[in-house]
Amino acid sequence: MQTAISNRDFHFSPEPEPARLLVVDDDSSVRIGSRLALEHAGFRVTDAPDGYTALNCLQSQHFDAILLDACMPGLDGFATCRKMRERLGGDLIPIVIATGLDDDASIQTAFECGATDFAPKPLIWRIIVQRLHALIHARQATNHLNGRSSQMFSMLKTSSEAVLVLDQCGVIQGRHHIEKLPGAVTAMLEPGCNFFDILPGGCAVRVEKAWKNSLSADSVDEFILTLEAQETAFKLQGRFIAGIENEVLCLLQDQTEAFAAERKMYELAYLDQCTGIANEKRLISELSLRLKCTRDFGQKTVLIRCATPDFQGFEPRLGRHGLDKLACAVVSRLQECVKDFAARTSMLSERLLIARISGSHFGIVLSGECGQESVRTLAQLLSNSLAVCVEIDGFSCPMDWTIGIADSAQATSPDSLLSATAYAIQLTPGLNEPDRVRFYHPTLRDNSYRATELEQLLRRDIADGALEMNYQPKFALTDFSLVGMEALVRWNNREMGPVSPAQFIPVAEHTGQVVALSHLVIERVFDQMVQWREQGRLSVPVSINISGIHLNSETIVQELMAGVDQRQIPCHLVEIEVTESIMVQGAGRALKNLNELRSLGFRISVDDFGTGYSSLSYLLELPIDCLKVDRSFITNIADDPTARAIAKAIITVGHDVGLDVIAEGVETPEQLRCLRELQCDSVQGYLTGRPVVSDHFADFFGGYRCGSGYGLSTQ
Ligand code: C2E
Ligand code: MG
Ligand code: MG
């Protein structure tokens, strides 16, 4: 049988090759007549005078049909036909035997010898030509079909599909290549069973639809089938093909492993590997889906971000594995809260998605009818739960959580929703924000932009040295003489105008610029001191505010020493102002530096005293010379007995431990009088002198002129 299908079998060029004929007849006139008639009809003709010559021709040439005379001397037509068939094997080249013997026996012999057809002599060429054409076409079609079917056969054999033969009711009539399905599944697909009886409810509708389509619409729909067998869910992919004789073929392929691999890929792509909850990618796709529904159905989508600065800080103690446990512990708290909230509000838990945005940031998505109050309730539940210290392997992990909330009314894309919650959790430097749950508001974004702009401009201006110093005098309360001055930095920015230190110092601290700023300040102040010395001005201590960050650095002592050495400034004329909060937090190196500075002769004072966390008992442990009573106690000192009592206590205790006490922010003569009564040593404030540029400071060197004007005698 010929299996290969050549182009010649089914592709016809616009001008087809003439079909090749072999005409075999011992009668030369018949051969000549045949050649003339058949060539005229478009055939290419080869003729042979006897059976042996014909067999030789067949050996060397290819023919599309053979016309064979039955009666020939030697090898007659029937014997020649038989031999030809033997040589041709499976090739069904049409052989027509022409015979004058039109008895039934001759016809039967002709077919027994392998003839395709017979033609009575004398030959009628019109009929012969048509018959030859029909036979040649039939052979081509048969070859084509044979090729196709053998192709299908090998495809089926090599494909991984099993075939069920079903009758019109779905009853399994036969099975082929059933070994390609798992054993547990083949046991369910026994012949005689109805295929539809074994379908689980969930798949039935789709399979039945595919079945109907295959019967009526001549189309092939694929379906996926989940068959539970031996406690395993097998996934089969299938399709129906309408067969012959009212049969339907059901082709099934085992896709269990492919589905498992797909599931694994999904998990890798969309789930957080450590905690098993949705990851950022999944969160984003979920948000975009929900935001779309929000738009289409007028609902609301809310994102709650729970954030703590960093888990990594616990790594040295907990190790990587411990950090994973910490993340899982946090997630289980979030899950409990969400469950609790869903139960309280009867919200469907599918509406609540928990995701890990990044290391220590988690997001909770809600959608539907979620009013601000219910969102606040959930946020509060989360905040309360996260505030309880997590313990991992006996080690407690205190974390500061902030919760930022934004919704689809404020942000319409996953990105903007995420960044809105990022703004909401952002701490504005310098602002004390005790509230852990914060709703997004556009001003947060404006503040953040402003902080960023401020940061950039500050960086530029520090580098350009475009900041100046003001000096504010300090006067003794005994004789109103000048006892010192405080150097205060001023920033008058080209673009934004004057910016208060209360605003930009925290930004500088937050963005790591404060040390550079401090260098600038120290250089300016020391140069100014040299200038005043050269002008013969009275030498009094100048105090410089030093940030805790700088005080904690390794180099602060050398920097200050180098500055004073270079200019031969006595150390006791330089006072370092530090805030008490730094003293509490920065015990380590800050304290060591302070001790060193003091032992070198620098004066140390505690600024804004009374506002921080320290108690008076700290004073004994610190290397300090002076206390600056915070302005908040001075403001009401004249009329609030409590403020007065506190100021008095600070002054008394300060004196008891041998410290100078100065009051800052003195604005009125009454405050001045009170402080004098309480025996405060000195004052600084708008009343006695505002901070001014160095050129305007000259007047203060002569002492506080108005002092006696308030009825206060100099002692
Ligand atoms: P501070 O060290 O407590 O400085 C005193 C602040 O109170 C100054 O504000 C001063 O102008 C203001 N002040 C003085 N007398 C009065 C008064 O009678 N009434 C009122 N209402 N205010 C008065 P300023 O200059 O805005 O500085 C604010 C804070 O910025 C300073 O507080 C200090 O903590 C910081 N700072 C200022 N200059 C520097 C600096 O060069 N380096 C560092 N690290 N911080 C600085
Ligand atoms: Mg100060
Ligand atoms: Mg102060």
Side-chain angles (χ1 to χ4, degrees):
M1 179 187 280
Q2 181 179 334
T3 51
I5 307 167
S6 68
N7 284 345
R8 196 169 53 84
D9 289 328
F10 52 97
H11 281 303
F12 298 98
S13 54
E15 278 187 44
E17 291 248 308
R20 287 154 298 184
L21 285 184
L22 175 62
V23 176
V24 189
D25 203 309
D26 58 323
D27 183 337
S28 63
S29 62
V30 173
R31 290 205 304 276
I32 291 167
S34 302
R35 182 182 280 278
L36 280 175
L38 292 169
E39 282 184 346
H40 182 71
F43 292 99
R44 186 184 296 161
V45 179
T46 304
D47 55 41
D50 55 63
Y52 294 109
T53 314
L55 285 168
N56 280 341
C57 288
L58 205 56
Q59 199 94 24
S60 55
Q61 294 177 55
H62 183 85
F63 299 102
D64 296 301
I66 299 164
L67 184 60
L68 193 58
D69 183 26
C71 298
M72 290 187 294
L75 211 56
D76 69 5
F78 301 112
T80 307
C81 181
R82 190 172 280 117
K83 288 209 176 300
M84 280 179 166
R85 281 290 173 227
E86 278 167 23
R87 295 220 178 146
L88 289 168
D91 191 348
L92 298 174
I93 293 182
I95 303 177
V96 178
I97 293 191
T99 173
L101 322 159
D102 71 349
D103 57 302
D104 286 351
S106 303
I107 294 168
Q108 195 179 339
T109 313
F111 285 118
E112 279 169 7
C113 294
T116 316
D117 204 352
F118 79 97
K121 272 189 162 179
L123 298 170
I124 303 168
W125 292 113
R126 199 168 27 86
I127 295 173
I128 289 292
V129 165
Q130 289 308 322
R131 191 168 291 177
L132 284 170
H133 275 307
L135 289 171
I136 290 169
H137 276 295
R139 175 191 166 231
Q140 283 172 344
T142 310
N143 279 350
H144 180 64
L145 282 176
N146 285 344
R148 268 276 178 271
S149 80
S150 79
Q151 198 180 30
M152 301 296 269
F153 182 76
S154 18
M155 266 169 63
L156 261 183
K157 210 165 148 193
T158 51
S159 100
S160 47
E161 285 177 317
V163 183
L164 299 180
V165 182
L166 308 179
D167 69 10
Q168 289 286 299
C169 302
V171 176
I172 301 172
Q173 302 296 325
R175 317 187 296 181
H176 301 288
H177 306 301
I178 197 71
E179 71 285 352
K180 289 177 179 166
L181 297 181
V185 171
T186 53
M188 300 169 81
L189 301 170
E190 287 295 337
C193 296
N194 190 309
F195 181 68
F196 292 95
D197 289 347
I198 59 159
L199 297 183
C203 313
V205 176
R206 229 160 352 124
V207 178
E208 277 163 17
K209 187 168 165 254
W211 169 267
K212 279 186 194 136
N213 282 350
S214 75
L215 292 182
S216 57
D218 194 21
S219 67
V220 178
D221 293 0
E222 290 200 333
F223 55 84
I224 297 292
L225 201 59
T226 309
L227 292 182
E228 300 273 349
Q230 295 175 357
E231 292 174 8
T232 308
F234 292 96
K235 293 272 182 196
L236 304 184
Q237 187 173 18
R239 59 210 160 106
F240 294 114
I241 296 174
I244 44 168
E245 292 166 1
N246 290 338
E247 283 175 355
V248 176
L249 301 182
C250 173
L251 280 70
L252 293 174
Q253 192 173 18
D254 179 22
Q255 294 283 15
T256 314
E257 275 179 20
F259 269 80
E262 209 171 289
R263 173 87 216 151
K264 187 75 204 152
M265 271 164 66
Y266 170 85
E267 283 177 9
L268 285 173
Y270 289 102
L271 298 185
D272 175 52
Q273 294 308 295
C274 160
T275 60
I277 61 171
N279 64 10
E280 190 195 13
K281 208 166 162 191
R282 167 84 210 282
L283 175 76
I284 290 175
S285 88
E286 186 72 25
L287 279 177
S288 63
L289 209 73
R290 296 203 190 193
L291 285 168
K292 188 176 175 321
C293 291
T294 302
R295 279 192 298 275
D296 295 351
F297 303 107
Q299 289 180 334
K300 196 168 170 189
T301 295
V302 180
L303 176 64
I304 302 179
R305 183 194 284 247
C306 304
T308 185
D310 207 354
F311 283 167
Q312 241 54 43
F314 299 112
E315 189 174 354
R317 180 67 198 263
L318 297 181
R320 295 290 323 156
H321 187 56
L323 281 192
D324 287 354
K325 282 194 195 169
L326 178 62
C328 290
V330 167
V331 166
S332 76
R333 291 211 181 161
L334 300 179
Q335 285 167 332
E336 274 168 31
C337 290
V338 161
K339 213 166 119 193
D340 183 8
F341 174 74
R344 285 186 198 201
T345 56
S346 321
M347 184 178 268
L348 292 175
S349 49
E350 301 87 77
R351 290 237 177 118
L352 291 146
L353 174 86
I354 304 176
R356 191 170 188 184
I357 301 172
S358 62
S360 56
H361 284 216
F362 296 85
I364 290 127
V365 184
L366 292 84
S367 52
E369 306 288 322
C370 23
Q372 180 145 356
E373 266 327 293
S374 70
V375 173
R376 191 185 290 280
T377 306
L378 174 56
Q380 208 52 59
L381 281 175
L382 294 164
S383 176
N384 295 346
S385 169
L386 293 170
V388 180
C389 192
V390 179
E391 221 175 82
I392 302 292
D393 300 335
F395 177 60
S396 52
C397 310
M399 290 174 278
D400 275 341
W401 288 91
T402 310
I403 294 179
I405 305 163
D407 65 45
S408 46
Q410 300 157 322
T412 49
S413 71
D415 250 15
S416 55
L417 206 50
L418 276 163
S419 68
T421 58
Y423 281 124
I425 58 162
Q426 202 172 47
L427 281 172
T428 312
L431 284 187
N432 186 20
E433 293 168 292
D435 198 357
R436 291 276 160 209
V437 174
R438 291 189 229 134
F439 282 83
Y440 169 76
H441 189 275
T443 51
L444 291 173
R445 192 191 48 201
D446 298 344
N447 287 347
S448 174
Y449 284 164
R450 197 174 144 73
T452 313
E453 194 190 3
L454 202 81
E455 178 196 335
Q456 284 161 358
L457 293 175
L458 183 62
R459 198 176 292 280
R460 185 196 67 192
D461 284 0
I462 291 175
D464 293 352
L467 286 95
E468 301 204 325
M469 298 312 297
N470 270 196
Y471 297 89
Q472 187 176 28
K474 299 173 181 180
F475 294 105
L477 270 172
T478 45
D479 59 1
F480 297 113
S481 60
L482 182 74
V483 288
M485 63 183 93
E486 179 173 6
L488 294 160
V489 70
R490 291 289 172 263
W491 183 27
N492 192 358
N493 175 257
R494 257 203 324 268
E495 288 85 354
M496 292 191 294
V499 185
S500 154
Q503 202 183 346
F504 72 80
I505 296 288
V507 172
E509 288 180 334
H510 198 69
T511 57
Q513 303 183 60
V514 78
V515 176
L517 174 72
S518 216
H519 288 158
L520 183 71
V521 168
I522 291 169
E523 288 296 298
R524 288 280 160 84
V525 171
F526 286 176
D527 285 348
Q528 185 59 54
M529 288 173 80
V530 171
Q531 208 178 327
W532 275 327
R533 185 178 64 201
E534 284 167 359
Q535 289 169 5
R537 298 289 184 193
L538 179 70
S539 288
V540 288
V542 180
S543 57
I544 302 174
N545 293 284
I546 297 288
S547 154
I549 296 171
H550 193 194
L551 191 66
N552 240 318
S553 73
E554 278 182 26
T555 51
I556 175 112
V557 177
Q558 287 104 300
E559 281 165 26
L560 286 167
M561 273 316 290
V564 290
D565 277 354
Q566 214 178 14
R567 298 170 180 86
Q568 292 169 344
I569 296 170
C571 291
H572 71 268
L573 289 183
V574 179
E575 184 172 276
I576 307 296
E577 285 194 18
V578 290
T579 57
E580 54 178 331
S581 59
I582 290 315
M583 310 300 295
V584 178
Q585 300 159 1
R589 193 176 318 128
L591 195 57
K592 184 175 158 284
N593 286 339
L594 269 191
N595 272 311
E596 211 169 316
L597 286 170
R598 187 147 186 269
S599 65
L600 287 166
F602 290 92
R603 277 174 62 85
I604 313 288
S605 71
V606 177
D607 205 353
D608 305 339
F609 188 80
T611 54
Y613 314 94
S614 65
S615 68
L616 287 168
S617 62
Y618 265 96
L619 297 178
L620 290 174
E621 294 168 32
L622 298 177
I624 50 176
D625 303 275
C626 176
L627 282 188
K628 294 188 80 175
V629 185
D630 189 67
R631 188 160 66 86
S632 57
F633 302 111
I634 308 304
T635 311
N636 300 320
I637 195 169
D639 26 53
D640 178 358
T642 314
R644 190 186 162 97
I646 294 172
K648 187 179 175 189
I650 296 174
I651 294 166
T652 311
V653 176
H655 283 162
D656 286 350
V657 293
L659 302 176
D660 281 347
V661 181
I662 181 169
E664 56 180 351
V666 178
E667 291 180 344
T668 66
E670 290 73 35
Q671 291 166 351
L672 190 78
R673 209 172 291 124
C674 267
L675 287 161
R676 210 171 191 226
E677 277 167 28
L678 297 176
Q679 297 184 339
C680 188
D681 298 299
S682 44
V683 289
Q684 174 186 350
Y686 290 172
L687 178 72
T688 50
R690 286 181 176 260
V692 288
V693 291
S694 59
D695 287 351
H696 294 166
F697 199 84
D699 288 350
F700 297 128
F701 284 110
Y704 178 48
R705 299 281 159 77
C706 307
S708 48
Y710 307 121
L712 302 168
S713 60
T714 51
Q715 293 156 352

